Amino acid sequence: MTDLAPHELRVLVAVEEEGTFTSAATRLGTTQSAVSHAVRGCERKLGAVLFERGRHGARPTEAGARAVGYARRVLRLLATMGAEVRGAGADGPLTGTLRIVAFRSVAAHLLPPVLARLAERHPGLGTRVRIVREIGRGTAGEVADGRADLGLATLPAEGPPPVPGLVTARLYEEAYALAHPQGHPDPRRLPLVDWDENCGSYTRRWWREQDWIPPATVDVEDDAVAVSMVAQGLGMAIMPATALLGAPPGLAVTPLDPNPPTRLVGYVTTPELAPTPAVRALIRELRDLPLPEGLAPARTQPARPGATR
Amino acid sequence: MTDLAPHELRVLVAVEEEGTFTSAATRLGTTQSAVSHAVRGCERKLGAVLFERGRHGARPTEAGARAVGYARRVLRLLATMGAEVRGAGADGPLTGTLRIVAFRSVAAHLLPPVLARLAERHPGLGTRVRIVREIGRGTAGEVADGRADLGLATLPAEGPPPVPGLVTARLYEEAYALAHPQGHPDPRRLPLVDWDENCGSYTRRWWREQDWIPPATVDVEDDAVAVSMVAQGLGMAIMPATALLGAPPGLAVTPLDPNPPTRLVGYVTTPELAPTPAVRALIRELRDLPLPEGLAPARTQPARPGATR
DNA sequence: CGGGTTCCATCGATCCCGCTCATGGAAGCG
DNA sequence: CGCTTCCATGAGCGGGATCGATGGAACCCG
C-alpha cells in the first residue's frame, strides 16, 4: 500500500503553499506534530525526500514539487468525482453546490442576475459565492487550490493566463472611466483615489500618454470605498465600468476618450470541472448575461493553456 | 471530509469487476464484511447508492459506474505519482507503462512505428496496446473509465466529442475509397461488404448523393475480414484508407472522386493524464508520424471538449 | 555570549477508523 | 424444507493517526 491518502495529499499541498509545517498545521486545523508525521509518512511511502527542512521552514525538493502537483490533481479529481457522482441522473435536474469566487464589483453587480437565472432553471443546484480580493493569485488561485469550482477573474490582455493548468475564457471587456464628484469645476485638480486591488498594469500605459498628473494620491482598501469617497467630493478615480455600476448620486462619470484603458474579465475553472454539467450551466448563464452599458463582449480567444502540444 | 481513500477506491473497482462483494473481498485479500462496510462508507460519503445489491451480486448503478470510472482514474494517477516522484531526476528517463487502446486498423498499421520510436527514445517506458472495437462508447469509453491512458478514436466531423470530460485532438483525416477485386470488369455489380464497426455516419451523406446502389449487402464482423473477402473476389467495399494499408494482392483500390466521404481520427485522453511526460511523449510520436499516403494531417481544432461553449 | 524566537523531530498516551468474526435475513434451487 | 449464495449488521479488537509536551537546532539581538 504505497498510495497516499487524501489527508496526506492535503498536507503536502498545505505545506507547499504555507512554506512551514506550523502554519500548514493551523491552516488544516491540526497540529504541527501531525503534519510532521504525515510528511514523513509520505516520504516513506514515496521513497523520496519531499521537503528540505531548515531554518526557513520547508521548501519542496524537486521530487516534492512534483508530488505536490500530483497531489493537487488527485484532490481535484476526487472533488470532481464527488460532484459528478451526486448529480448522476444523466440529463436529470442538476444537484450539488457550485462554489464560486469573484472579486467584489463583479460579485455585487453581475453575479446576482446570473445566480437568479441559474436557480430558476436548476432549482436543485445550490451556489455559494465567496468574495476574494484580486491580489496575489486572486480568484484563480482559489480555483487552482480546489477551494472553488469557478472563479471570475481579471485576465491579462494577452499571453497565457497567470495560473497554468486552468481553463480560462474571456467574458467581456470594459473601459476605465473618470469618476468625479458631480458638478466639480475641474475634477483633474482633485487627488486621485486608488485602491490596492487596482492592478496598475491596465492603466499604466494610459497614464504614460497623459499630459497631466494628479496633484496627490489617496490609497484606500476597496473600490467601493473609492467610489463613495469620490461621491462625497473627496477625490476622483479612474475606475472600470463594473465598479461604477451602482454609482451613488453625486458621482459623475466621464469617458476617457479617445483611447481609454480597458481590462478583460473572464472566468477560470479546472479542466476536470469544465465539462461538468453544473459548471457548464453556470458558464452558459454567464455568457448569456445581457451586459450592462460600458461592457463589451470579448469573444475572441476562449483559450486553453497547455493541453495541446 | 468527503473524499474517498485509496483503499475504498480499490474496493469499488474490485466490486465492479468481480460483480460480487464476496469475490471482490477474496481478490483484495480481505473479508466480505469489510467490503460491505467499505461500500456503505463510500455511499455515505458520496451521498448516492453505488451498487444495486441483489441475488445476483452487486451491479453498479448509474452513479456507481461513474464513481468506478473516477476511482480508476484516481488510482492510476496515484500510481503515476509514485513512479514519477521516485524517478525525480528532472528530465530523467520515463518509466511505467502506458495503456493504449485503439481500433484494429490503426493498431495494426499506424501504431507499430509509433511504439517502436517511443521505445527507442524511452527504453524504460513500457506500452500495452489493447484493441477495442469502435462501437458503443468505443476507445473513448475505455479511457473515460480509467482502463486506458490514451485511446485512438474516430472523431465526429464537428460538434463536441462523444464522451465529455476528456481531452481530444485530431490527428489526421482520411478518405474512403472503393476496394474491389483486381481486374473485375464492373465492381459496382458486386455485393457491398459492410462491417459492424463501420459507423455509417461518415458515408451516409455520400451514399445519398450516388446514383447507384449495390445489388446486395454482406455484413461481416471486422474490417480485416471485409478486406480479405474483397481480395478473394466476394464483393466490394467502401473503406477508409487506414483499413486498406495492408491490402493483400488481388485487391484494387480506386478513389471515390471527386467528393469522397472522409473520417477523422484522433486521440483521446483524460485531463489528468494529458500533462504527464509519458503521455506527452506518446502524443509527440503520434503527431510526428509520417502519414502513409491517403492520410492527411488534420491540424485544425486541436479541441477541448466542453471547456468553451 | 546568553536569552528569545521560530523552526522541526520525537515520544508516549489516546482515540478513532477499519478490520475480523460471528450471526442473521433474503432469495433462489433441488 | 434444507442447502447454497448472496449481503447486512453488531461486537470487539488492533494499528495508525493525532495530540500535547519536550527537546534540539538555527538565527536574531542587545
Side-chain angles (χ1 to χ4, degrees):
Chain A
M1 201 58 55
T2 167
D3 292 332
L4 272 52
H7 67 91
E8 294 178 302
L9 302 176
R10 254 181 281 273
V11 167
L12 293 187
V13 172
V15 168
E16 194 259 3
E17 288 175 6
E18 298 288 333
T20 268
F21 283 18
T22 312
S23 54
T26 62
R27 162 164 153 186
L28 294 170
T30 179
T31 65
Q32 171 265 325
S33 171
V35 171
S36 178
H37 275 124
V39 171
R40 289 189 87 77
C42 294
E43 291 178 329
R44 192 170 37 76
K45 285 183 184 178
L46 292 177
V49 178
L50 301 180
F51 292 95
E52 280 174 9
R53 285 83 143 171
R55 177 80 192 92
H56 308 289
R59 283 182 203 156
T61 63
E62 166 94 10
R66 238 175 256 224
V68 170
Y70 274 98
R72 284 208 185 86
R73 284 199 262 160
V74 172
L75 289 174
R76 275 214 299 259
L77 197 55
L78 283 170
T80 312
M81 171 174 180
E84 185 121 350
V85 167
R86 264 182 286 278
D91 291 326
L94 297 181
T95 56
T97 300
L98 273 177
R99 299 167 303 166
I100 305 169
V101 284
F103 48 94
R104 200 205 60 86
S105 53
V106 161
H109 299 304
L110 291 184
L111 230 31
V114 169
L115 297 184
R117 284 169 58 174
L118 192 67
E120 187 181 329
R121 274 180 224 190
H122 307 284
L125 187 63
T127 49
R128 209 169 67 86
V129 177
R130 225 173 66 242
I131 293 182
V132 167
R133 313 194 66 199
E134 195 72 336
I135 45 184
R137 296 200 301 154
T139 54
E142 298 297 302
V143 173
D145 295 350
R147 285 190 290 274
D149 303 318
L150 184 139
L152 288 154
T154 56
L155 304 179
E158 53 195 16
V163 180
L166 295 182
V167 177
T168 306
R170 299 174 173 184
L171 281 172
Y172 63 87
E173 183 169 11
E174 59 178 338
Y176 282 75
L178 175 67
H180 56 90
Q182 187 107 49
H184 191 284
D186 186 1
R188 299 196 172 186
R189 308 299 301 268
L190 286 171
L192 174 71
V193 183
D194 205 351
W195 68 105
D196 311 345
E197 209 172 339
N198 187 21
C199 169
S201 72
Y202 289 107
T203 51
R204 191 164 305 130
R205 188 188 49 79
W206 182 82
W207 273 115
R208 269 206 303 271
E209 294 167 1
Q210 300 307 303
D211 51 1
W212 60 284
I213 53 170
T217 301
V218 183
D219 273 313
V220 299
E221 197 187 338
D222 190 303
D223 60 336
V225 178
V227 165
S228 93
M229 284 187 66
V230 171
Q232 312 242 337
L234 301 177
M236 54 87 189
I238 307 291
M239 308 200 74
T242 314
L244 293 168
L245 278 178
L251 186 140
V253 177
T254 50
L256 296 174
D257 288 330
N259 256 333
T262 62
R263 72 171 182 184
L264 285 168
V265 176
Y267 63 82
V268 174
T269 183
T270 71
E272 294 86 11
L273 253 21
T276 277
V279 169
R280 297 188 62 164
L282 171 58
I283 291 175
R284 201 164 13 247
E285 295 301 336
L286 283 170
R287 298 211 104 101
D288 290 353
L289 174 73
L291 290 175
E293 193 174 357
L295 279 47
R299 280 274 137 170
T300 45
Q301 189 188 356
R304 272 264 320 163
T308 60
R309 269 265 62 159
Chain B
M1 207 54 53
T2 167
D3 292 331
L4 270 53
H7 66 91
E8 294 178 303
L9 301 176
R10 255 182 280 272
V11 167
L12 293 186
V13 172
V15 168
E16 195 258 5
E17 287 177 4
E18 297 288 332
T20 269
F21 282 20
T22 312
S23 54
T26 61
R27 161 163 153 186
L28 294 171
T30 179
T31 65
Q32 170 267 323
S33 173
V35 171
S36 178
H37 277 129
V39 171
R40 290 190 86 77
C42 295
E43 292 178 329
R44 191 170 37 75
K45 285 183 184 177
L46 291 177
V49 178
L50 301 180
F51 292 95
E52 280 174 8
R53 285 84 144 169
R55 180 83 193 91
H56 308 289
R59 283 180 203 157
T61 62
E62 165 95 9
R66 237 175 256 223
V68 170
Y70 274 99
R72 267 194 272 261
R73 283 161 67 175
V74 171
L75 289 174
R76 178 69 183 171
L77 198 56
L78 284 170
T80 312
M81 171 175 180
E84 184 122 349
V85 168
R86 261 181 289 277
D91 290 327
L94 298 181
T95 56
T97 301
L98 274 176
R99 300 168 303 166
I100 306 169
V101 282
F103 49 95
R104 200 205 59 87
S105 52
V106 161
H109 300 303
L110 292 184
L111 230 31
V114 169
L115 297 184
R117 284 169 58 175
L118 192 67
E120 187 181 331
R121 275 180 225 191
H122 308 283
L125 186 63
T127 49
R128 211 168 66 86
V129 176
R130 226 172 66 240
I131 293 183
V132 168
R133 315 193 64 199
E134 195 72 337
I135 46 184
R137 295 199 301 156
T139 54
E142 296 298 301
V143 173
D145 293 349
R147 284 189 290 273
D149 304 318
L150 184 139
L152 288 154
T154 56
L155 305 177
E158 52 195 15
V163 179
L166 295 182
V167 176
T168 305
R170 299 175 174 184
L171 283 172
Y172 64 88
E173 182 168 12
E174 60 178 338
Y176 283 75
L178 176 66
H180 55 89
Q182 188 107 48
H184 192 283
D186 186 2
R188 299 198 169 183
R189 308 299 302 266
L190 286 169
L192 175 71
V193 182
D194 205 352
W195 67 104
D196 310 345
E197 210 173 336
N198 186 20
C199 169
S201 71
Y202 290 106
T203 52
R204 191 163 306 129
R205 187 188 51 77
W206 181 83
W207 272 115
R208 270 207 304 271
E209 294 168 1
Q210 300 306 305
D211 51 2
W212 60 285
I213 53 170
T217 300
V218 183
D219 273 314
V220 299
E221 197 189 336
D222 190 301
D223 60 336
V225 177
V227 165
S228 93
M229 286 188 65
V230 171
Q232 312 243 339
L234 300 176
M236 54 87 189
I238 306 293
M239 308 199 76
T242 314
L244 293 170
L245 278 179
L251 184 140
V253 178
T254 49
L256 295 174
D257 288 330
N259 257 332
T262 61
R263 74 172 182 184
L264 285 168
V265 176
Y267 63 79
V268 175
T269 184
T270 70
E272 314 87 58
L273 256 21
T276 277
V279 169
R280 297 187 63 163
L282 172 59
I283 290 175
R284 201 163 13 245
E285 296 301 336
L286 283 170
R287 298 211 102 102
D288 289 353
L289 174 74
L291 289 176
E293 193 175 358
L295 278 48
R299 278 277 136 170
T300 45
Q301 189 188 352
R304 275 261 324 160
T308 59
R309 272 270 54 163

